[in-house]
Amino acid sequence: MVKLETIISLAKRRGFVFQSSEIYGGLNGFWDYGPLGVELLNNIKQSWWKAMTYRDDIVGVDASIIMHPKTWVASGHIAQFSDPMIDNKTSKARYRADNLIEEFIRKLNNKHKFDLAKEIEEKLNKCQENNDYFKIIIDYQIPDPVSGSTDWTEVRNFNLMFKTFVGPVEDESGTVFLRPESAQGIFVNFKNVMDASRMKPPFGIAQIGKAFRNEINTKNFLFRTREFEQMEMQYFVKPGSEKDWFEYWKEQRWNWYIEMGMQPEKLRWKPHEKLAHYANNAIDIEFEFPFGFGEIEGIHSRTNFDLTNHQSHSGKKMEYVDTVNQERYVPYVIETSGGVSRAFMAFLCNAYDEEKIIDEGKEDTRVVLRFDAKLAPITLAVFPLVNKDGMPEYAHQIYKDMQKYFRVQYDTAGAIGRRYRRQDEIGTPFCLTVDGQTLIDHTVTIRERDSMLQDRINVSKIRDYIDRRI
Ligand code: GAP
């Protein structure tokens, strides 16, 4: 299993991800995507968008991040979107109480104290109120990981929504929130979309967009951040059919990760023990990160909670009227909700491989990102074998031609082996070399990243060759 530090260091060195505002010391919980990162991110989003909306029953929207503040009253986020927070009186460090307990359980398991770990885990799964977390922390004398102190404050609620103000006056009347989930932009537009695009249940609305949560603790690189993107789809169905659609969407979403090259043994299902305030059933797809399994996407059966609440808070009907069967109802909703940055990190970890090879007679290690060709930031690299005899000019022309269709890099620096290695490390599936024979018969070699095997093809066939493999 690759170490998280290895992934973070590769991500920075090769321009996938940088710490936000690094020159000022960084800002906790915020990250910037570099030149290769933004390509991978876009490829993930584009593949998701294609899979979810290039079909008859789903359309897309792009709603604003800041919404009418009543949205968050109706959705329950003002009252309930909070985490249990606890402070250590000695170190003044602040924690999410459930995470503090989970961390303690992990340490017990590492020390092979399995019975005690299981006992605490069972209690954690039953926690309903702040006081339940507090009791576990006190009963088991859980220490502050920073200071070792067991002197704790009470557990309090901490609302995760970022507040800001609309207009020039910073007072309560102008208070708005950065959306903590993109889903509400879909719910408030349910009627608009249904009427404008003449959809009827079962149908879905998909959206990719930023969400913000003022997480108490950020951790594990891109896993828990304060600004992130979601790829969400709400599927509106007739009440009573939600169980079947829940199963349908579970299968669809699992298969998408496999089609994008995820190794099935690195994924698992995790049913929710505790349900969010809006759900009557929920299950997560988890990926095995270097720090353990973690959620990358949730499939939630949200009942008619959101639409009914928006109906009562706005006074606007959120019903579907079926004129043929003479019935009207507020649809139930199955939601698929994935994090773009979590998928990004999962695909990065999934792709990372180190391979022993013999290079120029010596044993060496090849670092290779085995991305599916659809996700790889760069699809094709073009090299002249040597920088003379017209090869650079020929290769550069191919590079320019292929740029119309794919993300292509041109590289003339260093030995050919080195150039292959640089592309392997960023996951480029195809490397094309112009050599002496190219100048005679217009053929080039194409080397495939994983097998390292080479084909020789005519220059007129390059685009077709790559298209077929993508
Ligand atoms: N609309 C439902 C919803 O937002 P969620 O389980 O809170 O459900 C959905 O979030 C997905 O968003 C998660 O599976 C995860 O991939 C991503 N996500 C949530 N919080 C995140 C955070 N702080 N940092 C990065 N991704 C996050």
Side-chain angles (χ1 to χ4, degrees):
M1 172 71 79
V2 57
K3 288 200 174 92
L4 188 59
E5 296 74 51
T6 310
I7 295 287
I8 298 173
S9 138
L10 171 71
K12 177 168 183 197
R13 187 161 38 80
R14 298 308 310 270
F16 282 89
V17 182
F18 309 120
Q19 203 182 6
S20 161
S21 358
E22 193 186 73
I23 58 167
Y24 294 107
L27 186 63
N28 224 341
F30 298 88
W31 297 87
D32 296 341
Y33 292 87
L36 292 182
V38 73
E39 296 296 335
L40 175 58
L41 204 67
N42 284 340
N43 291 345
I44 292 171
K45 290 191 278 187
Q46 222 173 57
S47 300
W48 183 90
W49 191 256
K50 271 193 186 161
M52 299 301 273
T53 71
Y54 287 22
R55 43 187 283 161
D56 297 340
D57 55 346
I58 302 182
V59 289
V61 294
D62 188 356
S64 61
I65 286 171
I66 293 179
M67 303 175 66
H68 194 290
K70 274 192 186 166
T71 308
W72 308 111
V73 179
S75 68
H77 283 80
I78 295 278
Q80 301 192 52
F81 194 60
S82 52
D83 279 338
M85 174 177 74
I86 191 164
D87 294 292
N88 188 275
K89 289 185 191 163
T90 311
S91 70
K92 309 281 182 251
R94 178 165 280 184
Y95 299 95
R96 235 176 93 169
D98 51 342
N99 286 169
L100 182 71
I101 300 168
E102 278 162 5
E103 202 52 45
F104 187 63
I105 293 171
R106 215 186 307 264
K107 282 189 187 145
L108 288 176
N109 277 323
N110 288 345
K111 289 183 197 161
H112 298 267
K113 295 185 175 172
F114 300 121
D115 289 345
L116 185 57
K118 193 154 180 266
E119 180 182 310
I120 301 176
E121 194 171 8
E122 278 167 10
K123 289 191 181 171
L124 177 63
N125 286 337
K126 288 196 191 116
C127 282
Q128 300 274 355
E129 298 170 2
N130 287 342
N131 207 29
D132 300 335
Y133 297 109
F134 185 69
K135 196 160 159 20
I136 297 178
I137 292 167
I138 299 306
D139 286 357
Y140 292 93
Q141 287 287 292
I142 295 182
D144 173 9
V146 176
S147 64
S149 152
T150 50
D151 195 4
W152 296 104
T153 63
E154 295 287 303
V155 176
R156 290 108 63 216
N157 279 337
F158 175 74
N159 194 296
L160 300 183
M161 284 197 292
F162 279 102
K163 254 188 209 173
T164 186
F165 302 94
V166 164
V169 186
E170 291 192 9
D171 67 10
E172 278 302 305
S173 65
T175 303
V176 290
F177 301 91
L178 303 189
R179 67 182 178 197
E181 61 169 8
S182 61
Q184 296 306 323
I186 290 179
F187 287 123
V188 299
N189 278 303
F190 160 71
K191 266 297 248 179
N192 282 340
V193 173
M194 188 166 63
D195 295 345
S197 47
R198 297 159 59 87
M199 305 297 273
K200 52 184 183 185
F203 81 97
I205 307 177
Q207 176 171 221
I208 298 175
K210 291 252 175 170
F212 301 81
R213 296 182 189 178
N214 197 2
E215 299 282 356
I216 297 169
N217 300 118
T218 59
K219 62 175 180 179
N220 291 332
F221 192 32
L222 307 173
F223 188 78
R224 192 175 304 287
T225 56
R226 295 188 166 119
E227 173 177 342
F228 55 96
E229 258 181 311
Q230 292 186 312
M231 317 182 269
E232 294 201 301
M233 193 279 300
Q234 326 302 132
Y235 203 71
F236 301 93
V237 305
K238 189 172 177 183
S241 66
E242 67 275 10
K243 280 206 177 79
D244 289 343
W245 285 113
F246 185 72
E247 293 307 317
Y248 171 84
W249 281 111
K250 267 174 67 181
E251 195 186 328
Q252 295 294 309
R253 295 307 306 140
W254 178 277
N255 290 345
W256 182 78
Y257 287 101
I258 306 299
E259 275 160 30
M260 292 300 118
M262 205 66 103
Q263 300 165 59
E265 61 276 15
K266 293 207 164 160
L267 294 180
R268 73 174 186 195
W269 289 112
K270 179 85 189 295
H272 282 207
E273 304 265 355
K274 273 179 280 178
L275 292 169
H277 60 272
Y278 50 73
N280 73 354
N281 196 3
I283 194 160
D284 292 337
I285 298 176
E286 290 192 336
F287 175 80
E288 191 176 18
F289 290 102
F291 47 84
F293 274 95
E295 170 190 347
I296 51 174
E297 170 155 352
I299 293 102
H300 311 130
S301 179
R302 288 182 82 128
T303 68
N304 58 4
F305 176 91
D306 302 87
L307 290 183
T308 326
N309 278 315
H310 285 306
Q311 181 168 274
S312 59
H313 281 80
S314 68
K316 302 282 182 327
K317 285 267 182 254
M318 290 288 177
E319 290 175 337
Y320 167 65
V321 181
D322 182 345
T323 46
V324 177
N325 295 315
Q326 303 272 314
E327 59 178 352
R328 54 174 65 218
Y329 56 83
V330 177
Y332 269 45
V333 171
I334 303 300
E335 165 183 76
T336 69
S337 175
V340 184
S341 40
R342 282 199 192 168
F344 177 101
M345 193 171 146
F347 282 120
L348 204 54
C349 296
N350 179 70
Y352 187 91
D353 197 12
E354 286 177 16
E355 191 179 60
K356 290 265 174 277
I357 55 161
I358 304 293
D359 189 17
E360 292 173 2
K362 279 194 239 140
E363 198 173 88
D364 202 358
T365 304
R366 177 171 91 115
V367 173
V368 49
L369 291 181
R370 299 188 193 276
F371 288 127
D372 184 281
K374 291 186 284 300
L375 296 186
I378 305 294
T379 308
L380 175 70
V382 178
F383 316 140
L385 181 63
V386 287
N387 290 318
K388 57 181 184 183
D389 301 335
M391 289 183 217
E393 293 76 12
Y394 201 115
H396 197 262
Q397 189 56 48
I398 293 178
Y399 161 66
K400 284 307 221 187
D401 290 345
M402 287 303 117
Q403 232 175 15
K404 293 178 204 134
Y405 314 109
F406 311 112
R407 263 341 247 145
V408 194
Q409 268 190 2
Y410 180 64
D411 188 1
T412 58
I416 197 83
R418 283 255 182 85
R419 285 182 260 168
Y420 282 147
R421 216 62 75 69
R422 278 201 289 271
Q423 295 298 329
D424 289 343
E425 206 190 29
I426 61 169
T428 306
F430 307 106
C431 290
L432 181 155
T433 304
V434 166
D435 55 17
Q437 200 174 326
T438 313
L439 306 174
I440 300 165
D441 63 5
H442 302 288
T443 60
V444 291
T445 62
I446 294 205
R447 173 225 193 226
E448 201 269 326
R449 178 196 65 209
D450 294 342
S451 63
M452 294 192 280
L453 294 175
Q454 299 192 7
D455 277 336
R456 184 168 274 281
I457 61 167
N458 192 279
V459 283
S460 61
K461 297 275 185 296
I462 301 169
R463 185 182 167 199
D464 191 44
Y465 180 96
I466 294 172
D467 268 342
R468 267 188 288 121
R469 277 160 181 79
I470 292 181

